[in-house]
Amino acid sequence: IEMMTSLFFAKEKTNKIIKAIIFSTIINIVLNFIFINLFLKISEVAAIMGAAVATIISQTFYSALLLIHAKKDFGIKLHFSHLIKPIIASIIMASVLIIINMIVNMNIFLGIFETFLGVIIYFLVLKIIKGINKEDIELIKNTSKRFI
């Protein structure tokens, strides 16, 4: 997303970003209202998950709008097939973490551990389904060296 927003800024088409932000923010507010109220009937934890789901959906709309505008304005091509493997890895990772949360009482240490476990599961699944190659792994290593 950052790369695309930088492209829009560089080409002085910031109005596209602003419209996408406004649209996704409205979606987020509406979905938060619906999901929090709906899931609050189950539990407070479910309401928090509802807010998270609302945010994920609104961010997906934001990304999709930027992709649509990038394709239209700059001729950038992104095929849906490029997104399938990361989506599969995300679903498997989320499923494992949800199952863990059902079994274990969460605390701060388990939350930190679960975050690292989620990253490991995600990249492991990507590797298994060939959604990541050696160049991607090198890019991740080089990028992570900046933060360590």
Side-chain angles (χ1 to χ4, degrees):
I1 293 177
E2 287 182 36
M3 189 169 69
M4 282 193 291
T5 55
S6 297
L7 178 64
F8 284 104
F9 277 112
K11 297 290 186 174
E12 297 181 359
K13 295 197 176 233
T14 54
N15 62 331
K16 306 280 182 161
I17 297 171
I18 293 168
K19 289 177 184 177
I21 289 171
I22 291 170
F23 184 70
S24 63
T25 301
I26 291 169
I27 288 174
N28 194 15
I29 292 168
V30 170
L31 290 178
N32 267 319
F33 180 78
I34 293 169
F35 289 166
I36 291 172
N37 286 323
L38 182 69
F39 292 134
L40 198 54
K41 295 174 184 174
I42 299 170
S43 73
E44 290 179 4
V45 173
I48 293 169
M49 288 177 59
V53 169
T55 302
I56 290 168
I57 292 170
S58 68
Q59 286 298 307
T60 302
F61 272 99
Y62 176 70
S63 299
L65 287 172
L66 288 183
L67 283 172
I68 290 167
H69 287 301
K71 185 177 180 179
K72 200 183 304 182
D73 294 347
F74 310 122
I76 294 174
K77 297 178 183 176
L78 179 68
H79 300 285
F80 182 72
S81 61
H82 294 129
L83 301 174
I84 292 174
K85 290 180 181 178
I87 289 171
I88 291 170
S90 297
I91 290 170
I92 292 171
M93 176 200 66
S95 300
V96 170
L97 296 179
I98 288 170
I99 290 169
I100 290 171
N101 284 333
M102 292 171 146
I103 297 170
V104 178
N105 289 329
M106 191 55 59
N107 62 41
I108 187 71
F109 300 111
L110 287 174
I112 293 168
F113 172 74
E114 188 177 28
T115 301
F116 287 113
L117 181 63
V119 170
I120 291 167
I121 292 169
Y122 178 79
F123 284 110
L124 187 63
V125 171
L126 269 182
K127 183 75 174 153
I128 291 169
I129 63 175
K130 296 182 178 22
I132 192 169
N133 58 34
K134 289 180 183 178
E135 293 172 355
D136 296 327
I137 293 171
E138 284 301 314
L139 179 64
I140 292 167
K141 284 180 183 177
N142 292 334
T143 305
S144 64
K145 285 179 185 177
R146 293 183 203 170
F147 297 107
I148 296 176

